[in-house]
Amino acid sequence: MWPPAHRWSPGALPVALIAVAYLSLCACGSGNTGTPISPVSPNSTNTLRRGIGGEPATLDPALATDSFSFEVIRDTYEGLTTESADGLVIPGAAASWVISESGTTYEFKLRPNLRWSNGARLNAADFVRAWQRVVDPHIGSPVADALLPIAGASEIIAGRLPPSALGATAVAGDSLVVRLKEPTPYFLQLLTHTALFPIYSQASAEAHSSANWVSNGPYKLRAWVPGESITLTKNPRYWNEHSVQIPNITYVVVADENAELRQYLAGQIDVTESVPSNSLSTIKSQRPKELYVKPFLGTAYYALNLNKIEFRDNRLLRKALAMAIDRKLLATRVLNFGQKPSYGFVPPGTWNYTPQHWSWSAMDDGERIAEARRLYRQAGYSSNHPLRIRMLINSNALIRAAALATASMWKSALGVRTIIIEQENRVFLQSRRDPTLWDVARLGWTADYDDASDFLDIFRSGSPNNDARYSSGKFDDLMNEAARTADPTKRRTILERAERQMLSDYPVIPIYSYVSKRLVKPNVGGVHQTNMDRLYSKYLFFKSQKP
């Protein structure tokens, strides 16, 4: 998942431009934009305007993989469980549940008289049907792995069982029984993942046209103008509609952080998705109470395409690239919002987990670069025979800045020649799935649930999110062992071993952990920053609405 984007035409950047841009960023990364911040008139109490940094790829819960889609889907749908404003798991479409002593069977009781936005009755079978669709290999859902804890899911995804074999049964219109393969302590939180949301039983043109999209959440889709905005309106058939304060939500698609800031300052946006780094000092001094910054569970990383012959059988080369990046410089001079350098994949703060990291992370800079150069030469490369790579990124000012800096570091430390290919988000989401189009891809993973397995499962052989095409029998065995282990202490130890195994193979290069950064108008209340950076519109309100 990626931060807000800045549109550039896809194309290559010469190394000379990379170096100049990198040096410029280092010189002004924390500077003032020079734009005066003047007061603006408040918005009406009818519509909240939220910035969104790219076009959602889809509003289909079974197909969405990007953060922009997730944001809108969480406003328009609701699972069996949901989250409170501060991130605690609470009942959603399910009023209650009972868990067996073994921890492998859950029986959910749905709320009475649940309705879809078109007035049709919502029942337990809608959840079963939606989940079966997600694991159906003919659908090819990129989020099918989210259902792996459910009995039969892995076999169905692999094509060995039919979707009807999934361990989810509607025993009555309002009762749903779910059987798990093994006890899963995070299962209730996993149900807040969009992949486990229900779908309308008549999944037809009516349900999937922007004018008549049928959903079950606090808001429903009213209009979608591609490249401009997505407008939601309060769903009068939502079970808890009386608690939803703001009648309309408009997501304003702004692919440039600086443009989003300008619209915010002009009173055209009430809540931004991000904040440009070069405006931080101005905002801190002039609008400190409107700035919300907090770390959350997410890791930015570069995936190395292991289909590329230069990478596939050359661990030394992959390690050299990882070591040549000065993450501390990135964090302090380019990123600028308190992002922490990452030398491992599972981020700090993850429940019941000790972050793992590469042993060389303690080296001083001179020693680290010297070792990276030695590995690069040993891998068969030199100034006369440099590595040439294509780096794929999605359009975003911060991502671009970090990519330029990384390419410059690789050039100065090793002599690597990098071409950066920048694409609009929807195009990028397609390109990242095609390994013929890139050698290195800048990606990000943010928590779907607070557990280390959420970050590590994407490296399983055959995972649809395994963009590096990493495959390790040792890693897979450890992940399978962790999935069978109920004791939380033993399970944590196994997951830590799995991460160390993956890190030692260098299929990806973690670079920094994520930080949520937003601007919120003073008249907007209900903003809470959670460890998974989920801001539900249903909890927001205009302060003028409160007595």
Side-chain angles (χ1 to χ4, degrees):
M1 297 127 192
W2 305 272
H6 176 79
R7 293 182 190 271
W8 267 11
S9 298
L13 293 173
V15 171
L17 175 58
I18 291 172
V20 171
Y22 169 55
L23 294 174
S24 298
L25 283 164
C26 288
C28 66
S30 60
N32 190 316
T33 61
T35 303
I37 298 180
S38 56
V40 297
S41 58
N43 185 25
S44 73
T45 58
N46 288 326
T47 302
L48 178 81
R49 300 156 304 180
R50 296 184 57 168
I52 190 167
E55 191 83 27
T58 178
L59 296 187
D60 186 332
L63 301 179
T65 61
D66 62 290
S67 60
F68 306 137
S69 297
F70 292 153
E71 194 91 56
V72 180
I73 290 173
R74 282 195 291 264
D75 276 353
T76 52
Y77 285 85
E78 184 172 85
L80 293 170
T81 62
T82 185
E83 292 175 302
S84 64
D86 53 3
L88 298 177
V89 177
I90 59 176
S96 62
W97 51 82
V98 176
I99 307 172
S100 67
E101 290 186 9
S102 66
T104 58
T105 301
Y106 288 65
E107 182 170 4
F108 295 91
K109 190 77 169 179
L110 300 190
R111 296 182 183 277
N113 300 318
L114 287 178
R115 299 283 175 181
W116 290 100
S117 57
N118 66 352
R121 180 72 183 272
L122 188 156
N123 53 47
D126 292 320
F127 281 93
V128 174
R129 187 179 299 106
W131 296 1
Q132 290 177 351
R133 176 171 173 257
V134 171
V135 296
D136 187 342
H138 293 100
I139 299 297
S141 170
V143 289
D145 282 2
L147 278 73
L148 285 175
I150 302 177
S154 59
E155 292 82 0
I156 297 168
I157 294 170
R160 295 192 294 269
L161 287 175
S164 59
L166 187 69
T169 306
V171 296
D174 63 351
S175 184
L176 174 65
V177 175
V178 183
R179 293 181 294 106
L180 306 183
K181 289 188 298 186
E182 304 291 343
T184 306
Y186 55 85
F187 184 65
L188 291 175
Q189 188 176 78
L190 178 60
L191 292 171
T192 69
H193 189 306
T194 59
L196 288 106
F197 289 178
I199 58 169
Y200 182 50
S201 60
Q202 298 175 15
S204 61
E206 179 190 4
H208 290 87
S209 66
S210 61
N212 299 293
W213 194 280
V214 179
S215 59
N216 74 315
Y219 290 92
K220 60 181 182 177
L221 182 64
R222 188 173 75 188
W224 187 343
V225 181
E228 293 185 15
S229 64
I230 298 172
T231 300
L232 312 178
T233 189
K234 185 175 175 179
N235 177 10
R237 296 184 175 94
Y238 176 55
W239 67 269
N240 198 24
E241 64 89 19
H242 68 276
S243 71
V244 179
Q245 298 295 310
I246 298 178
N248 303 294
I249 305 293
T250 294
Y251 281 94
V252 182
V253 180
V254 193
D256 182 306
E257 291 172 325
N258 291 294
E260 184 185 40
L261 175 60
R262 288 194 295 271
Q263 291 193 35
Y264 178 84
L265 297 178
Q268 298 166 353
I269 289 178
D270 304 301
V271 180
T272 71
E273 184 175 66
S274 189
V275 180
S277 296
N278 59 1
S279 299
L280 178 61
S281 59
T282 302
I283 293 168
K284 277 187 172 179
S285 65
Q286 297 188 27
R287 296 197 174 200
K289 293 183 179 180
E290 298 175 38
L291 179 64
Y292 291 73
V293 178
K294 182 180 178 180
F296 69 95
L297 301 181
T299 300
Y301 66 101
Y302 295 119
L304 303 179
N305 182 358
L306 299 187
N307 281 2
K308 180 180 172 68
I309 190 169
E310 291 88 341
F311 289 153
R312 184 174 62 228
D313 301 317
N314 203 332
R315 175 183 170 278
L316 296 181
L317 177 61
R318 303 195 300 267
K319 183 176 180 180
L321 291 174
M323 294 187 71
I325 299 173
D326 187 340
R327 291 160 180 78
K328 293 178 182 177
L329 183 62
L330 279 178
T332 57
R333 302 296 296 276
V334 178
L335 304 173
N336 213 26
F337 270 91
Q339 294 93 333
K340 301 298 182 183
S342 292
Y343 301 91
F345 198 78
V346 181
T350 302
W351 174 78
N352 191 38
Y353 195 77
T354 302
Q356 304 299 296
H357 53 81
W358 287 308
S359 58
W360 51 260
S361 62
M363 287 183 175
D364 63 42
D365 290 344
E367 184 183 8
R368 174 178 54 79
I369 293 299
E371 178 63 9
R373 289 172 175 165
R374 186 187 71 80
L375 293 172
Y376 186 69
R377 291 192 299 269
Q378 192 174 346
Y381 293 89
S382 65
S383 57
N384 295 325
H385 176 55
L387 175 67
R388 300 177 187 274
I389 55 179
R390 300 163 298 167
M391 179 190 290
L392 179 69
I393 67 173
N394 67 302
S395 293
N396 172 271
L398 187 64
I399 289 173
R400 183 190 319 115
L404 290 168
T406 299
S408 181
M409 292 170 187
W410 283 342
K411 177 67 167 59
S412 62
L414 306 175
V416 174
R417 305 299 178 90
T418 304
I419 291 175
I420 295 178
I421 303 169
E422 181 168 351
Q423 296 180 340
E424 185 274 332
N425 189 61
R426 279 195 170 191
V427 178
F428 170 84
L429 291 175
Q430 297 174 358
S431 297
R432 64 176 287 206
R433 302 295 182 188
D434 185 348
T436 67
L437 299 178
W438 56 271
D439 307 312
V440 176
R442 191 281 185 192
L443 303 173
W445 190 261
T446 59
D448 297 313
Y449 50 92
D450 189 358
D451 190 85
S453 65
D454 180 47
F455 287 86
L456 298 177
D457 273 336
I458 69 172
F459 297 107
R460 286 178 179 269
S461 301
S463 167
N465 296 301
N466 188 352
D467 294 274
R469 274 72 179 174
Y470 174 62
S471 182
S472 165
K474 291 182 180 179
F475 176 83
D476 290 346
D477 288 345
L478 286 167
M479 292 303 296
N480 291 334
E481 182 182 355
R484 296 191 299 267
T485 303
D487 181 87
T489 302
K490 293 180 180 178
R491 180 174 175 273
R492 178 184 66 211
T493 300
I494 297 167
L495 289 172
E496 290 168 358
R497 289 173 55 200
E499 183 178 10
R500 289 196 298 273
Q501 176 64 51
M502 182 275 293
L503 290 173
S504 71
D505 291 332
Y506 292 89
V508 298
I509 302 175
I511 45 178
Y512 60 88
S513 57
Y514 276 133
V515 169
S516 170
K517 47 191 189 298
R518 299 179 188 271
L519 282 166
V520 181
K521 287 296 173 64
N523 67 321
V524 177
V527 176
H528 292 264
Q529 293 178 283
T530 72
N531 67 345
M532 292 197 291
D533 192 33
R534 295 179 180 177
L535 183 62
Y536 293 84
S537 296
K538 64 183 178 183
Y539 294 124
L540 302 180
F541 57 88
F542 289 112
K543 293 178 180 178
S544 59
Q545 295 173 323
K546 295 293 183 180

